[in-house]
């Protein structure tokens, strides 16, 4: 029975290497190099749930909440392009392309596949594309998945028992949105009656060397607008600047 210097029994000891070492180094670099701040908000998602149900019933298309949130993030970014960028030691870089890193745990490994041009695709296109991405990741076909070139990250923990999170940015990106689980709680209708409502916690972590905190507020206002009218925004496609 092996013990450490303080007498604690060691169950297992192994070297810090491989993917775990890379993640540890990146997160340490992120925390110590980029001054980060996180804002959080609870937003009602009943309309999003209704939209998802209608899409399945009318078109037979089963869309994951993760993909709905990817599209919602892209729409919110369209109105807050100052968050769609990165910071180096000498420059602030703002991108016109909205390429989302969709962080996910695949076979026990943290992966960040990139959904390119999320703003130019509707929810059905995104749903189909991401299904292929996750299938390739699960099969270990990494060459078929784009893992670099993201401009903004989305960390979705909505399927787990967690009420809030404070995600770290993925350097050199300037921001990351986090999603926690949905909760059905008492709310009020327009007449003041108590009714059940679905609330989800959203977080936005930003690099304060890149943007100010007010941009978090502006982003959440745009995100809420999308969530309240998914019938419009889930099929919205932005025209790229170079084509305007």
């Amino acid at each position: 029975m092996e013990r450490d210097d303080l007498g604690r029994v060691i169950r297992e000891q192994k070297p810090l290497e491989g993917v775990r070492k890379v993640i540890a180094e990146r997160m340490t670099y992120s925390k110590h190099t980029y001054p980060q701040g996180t804002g959080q908000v609870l937003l009602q998602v009943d309309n999003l749930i209704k939209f998802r149900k209608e899409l399945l019933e009318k078109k037979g298309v089963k869309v994951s909440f993760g993909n709905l949130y990817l599209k919602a993030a892209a729409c919110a970014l369209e109105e807050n392009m100052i968050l769609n960028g990165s910071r180096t030691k000498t420059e602030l870089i703002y991108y016109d392309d909205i390429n989302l890193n969709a962080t996910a745990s695949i076979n026990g490994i943290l992966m960040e596949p990139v959904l390119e041009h999320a703003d130019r695709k509707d929810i059905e296109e995104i749903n189909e594309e991401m299904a292929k991405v996750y299938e390739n990741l699960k099969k270990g076909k990494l060459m078929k998945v784009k893992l670099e070139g993201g401009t903004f990250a989305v960390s979705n923990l909505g399927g787990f028992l967690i009420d809030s999170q404070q995600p770290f940015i993925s350097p050199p990106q300037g921001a990351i949105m986090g999603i926690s689980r949905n909760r059905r709680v008492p709310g009020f209708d327009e007449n003041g009656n108590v009714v059940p409502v679905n609330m989800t916690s959203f977080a936005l972590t930003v690099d304060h060397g890149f943007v100010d905190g007010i941009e978090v507020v502006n982003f959440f206002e745009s995100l809420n607008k999308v969530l309240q009218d998914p019938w419009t925004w889930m099929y919205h496609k932005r025209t790229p600047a170079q084509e305007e």
Side-chain angles (χ1 to χ4, degrees), residues 132-170:
K132 294 178 182 177
V133 166
Y134 291 131
E135 181 180 359
N136 284 327
L137 287 176
K138 290 176 181 178
K139 292 180 178 180
K141 298 180 179 179
L142 301 185
M143 296 298 293
K144 292 187 176 183
V145 179
K146 186 173 181 62
L147 297 172
E148 297 181 347
T151 62
F152 182 93
V154 178
S155 172
N156 181 19
L157 297 179
F160 301 94
L161 188 62
I162 184 169
D163 291 328
S164 65
Q165 60 168 310
Q166 293 183 321
F168 286 5
I169 60 173
S170 180

Side-chain angles (χ1 to χ4, degrees), residues 3-22:
R3 297 177 181 271
D4 68 4
D5 295 339
L6 298 178
R8 294 169 295 193
V9 175
I10 297 175
R11 181 176 62 83
E12 182 183 9
Q13 191 170 354
K14 57 184 179 181
L16 177 61
E17 59 186 9
V19 174
R20 188 73 264 161
K21 182 179 180 181
V22 172

Side-chain angles (χ1 to χ4, degrees), residues 40-51:
Q40 295 178 314
V41 66
L42 280 171
L43 298 177
Q44 189 171 341
V45 294
D46 289 276
N47 284 348
L48 194 68
I49 293 172
K50 185 178 179 181
F51 169 81

Side-chain angles (χ1 to χ4, degrees), residues 124-237:
E124 293 184 47
E125 292 170 327
I126 289 175
N127 198 56
E128 183 177 351
E129 181 174 333
M130 293 308 294
K132 294 178 182 177
V133 166
Y134 291 131
E135 181 180 359
N136 284 327
L137 287 176
K138 290 176 181 178
K139 292 180 178 180
K141 298 180 179 179
L142 301 185
M143 296 298 293
K144 292 187 176 183
V145 179
K146 186 173 181 62
L147 297 172
E148 297 181 347
T151 62
F152 182 93
V154 178
S155 172
N156 181 19
L157 297 179
F160 301 94
L161 188 62
I162 184 169
D163 291 328
S164 65
Q165 60 168 310
Q166 293 183 321
F168 286 5
I169 60 173
S170 180
Q173 292 177 14
I176 179 173
M177 182 178 85
I179 305 132
S180 299
R181 67 167 175 153
N182 170 73
R183 297 187 67 188
R184 195 164 175 80
V185 299
F188 297 93
D189 63 17
E190 57 186 18
N191 297 318
N193 300 313
V194 177
V195 295
V197 295
N198 288 278
M199 305 294 291
T200 295
S201 175
F202 295 87
L204 185 68
T205 298
V206 298
D207 167 18
H208 275 293
F210 181 63
V211 294
D212 297 322
I214 188 61
E215 305 304 339
V216 175
V217 176
N218 295 337
F219 178 86
F220 282 147
E221 289 182 349
S222 295
L223 180 65
N224 188 50
K225 180 169 62 176
V226 175
L227 296 177
Q228 302 319 312
D229 185 17
W231 295 273
T232 297
W233 287 97
M234 289 296 134
Y235 288 95
H236 170 75
K237 294 184 180 181

Side-chain angles (χ1 to χ4, degrees), residues 46-63:
D46 289 276
N47 284 348
L48 194 68
I49 293 172
K50 185 178 179 181
F51 169 81
R52 180 174 182 262
K53 183 179 180 181
E54 289 180 359
L55 196 58
L56 179 60
E57 292 176 344
K58 295 180 180 180
K59 293 188 175 183
V61 178
K62 186 176 182 179
V63 178

